[in-house]
Amino acid sequence: MSIKDKIIFGVLIIIIAAGGYFQWLSDDMKARMDVLNQNDQEHLDVIDKEFREDLRNLNLRFEGRGKHIRKAQQDIIVNTNLINTTASELNDKIDEVQYNLDEYSRITDLKIDKANNALNDLQNSFDSQRRQNRRKFSDIEQTITQLQNNVKELHEPKDDGKKKKK
């Protein structure tokens, strides 16, 4: 036998030993799982029994309270209807207030436009009156200047010949 055959046999023995170890671990885990499953089943039976007993006790306690539950359900329906009615009324009132606000806004805008137009008309009238007053004032100044010149002419002596002789 060669060294190569010995190595192959050695590896084969190690693989068989590892396979045996893993088989032993698997069998041990299966045995544990069987014990755990059996304990779990016993525990579930106890829990189910306790739960059924507690549920029976609750059913006994709540028998006769069905009318209270029905009254509560009816109260909920009545309250829901009241809420819906109130919401509808509020929506109507909100729509009415919105309409009134829109109407007020429209009327106010018209009044503001009229006031602006009246203000523009007054401004134009004032400007026209101011131009007329300036023209009149200018005419009065010219007339005063002419009158002053005429008065000066009247007050000046008419000694044109005498002044020239001197």
Side-chain angles (χ1 to χ4, degrees):
M1 214 189 281
S2 69
I3 293 182
K4 183 178 175 185
D5 291 337
K6 289 179 185 179
I7 292 176
I8 290 177
F9 282 123
V11 169
L12 185 59
I13 290 174
I14 291 174
I15 290 175
I16 290 173
Y21 175 73
F22 284 117
Q23 182 65 39
W24 176 75
L25 280 177
S26 174
D27 291 341
D28 187 44
M29 286 165 80
K30 284 180 184 177
R32 281 187 184 171
M33 287 301 291
D34 288 340
V35 170
L36 287 174
N37 284 337
Q38 184 181 5
N39 289 342
D40 189 38
Q41 189 63 35
E42 290 171 6
H43 183 70
L44 280 176
D45 289 342
V46 170
I47 295 290
D48 284 344
K49 186 177 179 184
E50 289 176 3
F51 177 73
R52 284 188 200 119
E53 183 63 28
D54 288 344
L55 186 60
R56 189 181 69 78
N57 288 337
L58 281 174
N59 283 336
L60 290 175
R61 286 177 61 196
F62 285 111
E63 280 182 12
R65 294 200 182 186
K67 65 180 179 181
H68 297 292
I69 292 172
R70 273 186 248 113
K71 178 155 179 14
Q73 288 172 339
Q74 290 171 351
D75 290 345
I76 289 170
I77 290 170
V78 168
N79 285 339
T80 303
N81 291 338
L82 178 65
I83 288 170
N84 290 337
T85 304
T86 305
S88 176
E89 290 173 2
L90 286 176
N91 281 336
D92 292 343
K93 291 186 187 231
I94 288 171
D95 290 342
E96 183 180 338
V97 168
Q98 184 63 43
Y99 173 78
N100 289 340
L101 285 175
D102 291 342
E103 184 71 16
Y104 176 76
S105 175
R106 187 181 62 80
I107 290 170
T108 305
D109 289 345
L110 287 174
K111 286 182 180 179
I112 289 173
D113 288 343
K114 285 180 182 179
N116 285 338
N117 289 339
L119 183 63
N120 287 337
D121 290 344
L122 285 174
Q123 182 67 38
N124 291 338
S125 175
F126 176 76
D127 290 344
S128 173
Q129 187 65 36
R130 187 171 47 178
R131 284 191 297 274
Q132 286 177 356
N133 287 342
R134 282 185 182 167
R135 269 189 254 122
K136 286 180 183 178
F137 184 69
S138 176
D139 290 344
I140 290 173
E141 282 182 341
Q142 283 180 344
T143 304
I144 289 175
T145 304
Q146 286 176 354
L147 286 175
Q148 283 176 345
N149 288 339
N150 288 341
V151 168
K152 278 184 184 179
E153 281 181 14
L154 289 176
H155 285 287
E156 282 184 7
K158 292 194 174 184
D159 295 332
D160 289 337
K162 291 180 184 176
K163 286 183 183 179
K164 290 181 184 179
K165 291 181 181 179
K166 287 185 183 181

